[in-house]
Amino acid sequence: SVYTPEVLANRSWERQAESLIACYNAISSQGIVKAVDAQPFSLSAPEKLSGPDAVNRWVRYIVKMHILVTGGAGYIGSVATRMLLDAGFQVRVLDDLSTGHRDAVPTDAEFVQVSILDELDQHMKGIDAVMHFAGKSLVGESMQKPDLYWSVNRDGSENLINAMKRNGISKLVFSSSAATYGEPTSIPIKEDAVTLPTNVYGETKLAVDQLLAANSQWLSSVSLRYFNVAVIRFKPQSQN
């Protein structure tokens, strides 16, 4: 069956719940979302579905996945954390605050000050997936302090991945970099272009990408090889 917002809006809330639970339990077998059961829907009825955002509001009610965000006090990590929370996810942020800022972490996220080089098993409890933004990111500094970059970026990521494996967490989004490609031979750079990093920063990011590939038998991962990132967030204006 196709469950559009319009179809769901014409059903009782119990039937709406039943339909969406069936959908999400079905796709959860593919590892897309966390499985749910019907018990919460016998307790109280949420608002009636109506309008184009109906399914999204039901997703927030039904599925409360818990996401671990490393580097969540940094620029990209803190924005990702805010977006996850706005989408209805629970978020735990890990950051050692070596470059991040505590006040950048949304107050409704759980925060733990810890390095990705530390023992991480205790912070994996209840986690469904990981978004990994933690790491050193200055190209010039990477050439001056290569050991630091290999330790934090490569070894820290391996430590995180090993903790995920021990705790049965198999989904990871990794903040990689276009620096893995080095000097491009053609523009635009294609995803499958040759990777020839020209600095230690790019080398460490490529090493983590290769680490993810080496663990692909059990780990479902995505690497984001972006350039410079800029974000503008607008707060909705009051309708009053």
Side-chain angles (χ1 to χ4, degrees):
S1 300
V2 177
Y3 300 116
T4 64
E6 291 74 17
V7 170
L8 290 168
N10 292 322
R11 298 184 176 186
S12 68
W13 79 268
E14 292 92 347
R15 289 285 293 129
Q16 294 166 9
E18 179 184 330
S19 300
L20 282 167
I21 288 170
C23 288
Y24 279 88
N25 279 338
I27 63 175
S28 70
S29 65
Q30 303 301 313
I32 301 172
V33 298
K34 190 176 181 180
V36 298
D37 66 53
Q39 185 58 37
F41 296 95
S42 65
L43 303 179
S44 62
E47 60 181 306
K48 181 177 174 60
L49 281 175
S50 62
D53 66 336
V55 171
N56 285 337
R57 287 189 283 120
W58 267 95
V59 171
R60 297 175 194 178
Y61 186 83
I62 294 174
V63 183
K64 291 279 189 178
M65 290 186 73
H66 203 156
I67 311 299
L68 181 73
V69 178
T70 71
Y75 179 52
I76 303 175
S78 63
V79 172
T81 296
R82 180 70 269 161
M83 294 179 71
L84 287 167
L85 291 166
D86 288 348
F89 294 96
Q90 300 177 67
V91 181
R92 179 179 301 153
V93 169
L94 304 186
D95 200 298
D96 64 4
L97 299 183
S98 58
T99 56
H101 302 276
R102 177 64 181 88
D103 58 3
V105 181
T107 56
D108 42 347
E110 178 188 356
F111 175 73
V112 181
Q113 185 172 349
V114 65
S115 167
I116 56 172
L117 290 166
D118 292 337
E119 194 281 318
L120 299 176
D121 286 76
Q122 61 182 312
H123 308 302
M124 295 289 166
K125 306 306 179 186
I127 295 298
D128 299 299
V130 176
M131 297 186 73
H132 180 28
F133 299 101
K136 298 295 183 181
S137 59
L138 300 178
V139 170
E141 183 183 57
S142 76
M143 303 302 288
Q144 298 169 355
K145 302 177 180 179
D147 291 345
L148 174 65
Y149 274 66
W150 281 106
S151 174
V152 175
N153 290 0
R154 200 279 178 189
D155 297 346
S157 297
E158 184 175 33
N159 185 49
L160 174 68
I161 291 168
N162 288 339
M164 289 176 61
K165 187 174 184 179
R166 288 192 298 270
N167 289 274
I169 304 165
S170 60
K171 301 177 183 64
L172 174 68
V173 175
F174 172 55
S175 180
S176 186
S177 172
T180 56
Y181 295 111
E183 295 298 328
T185 57
S186 62
I187 299 293
I189 302 174
K190 295 184 178 180
E191 183 178 352
D192 59 355
V194 176
T195 50
L196 292 171
T198 58
N199 52 69
V200 174
Y201 168 66
E203 291 173 353
T204 62
K205 289 292 188 177
L206 180 58
V208 178
D209 286 344
Q210 293 169 341
L211 186 62
L212 299 180
N215 285 274
S216 61
Q217 185 174 6
W218 67 271
L219 181 64
S220 176
S221 64
V222 174
S223 288
L224 305 177
R225 289 179 173 174
Y226 31 51
F227 292 79
N228 294 329
V229 177
V231 178
I232 300 176
R233 287 181 56 78
F234 293 97
K235 293 183 178 180
Q237 297 297 316
S238 172
Q239 299 300 315
N240 297 332

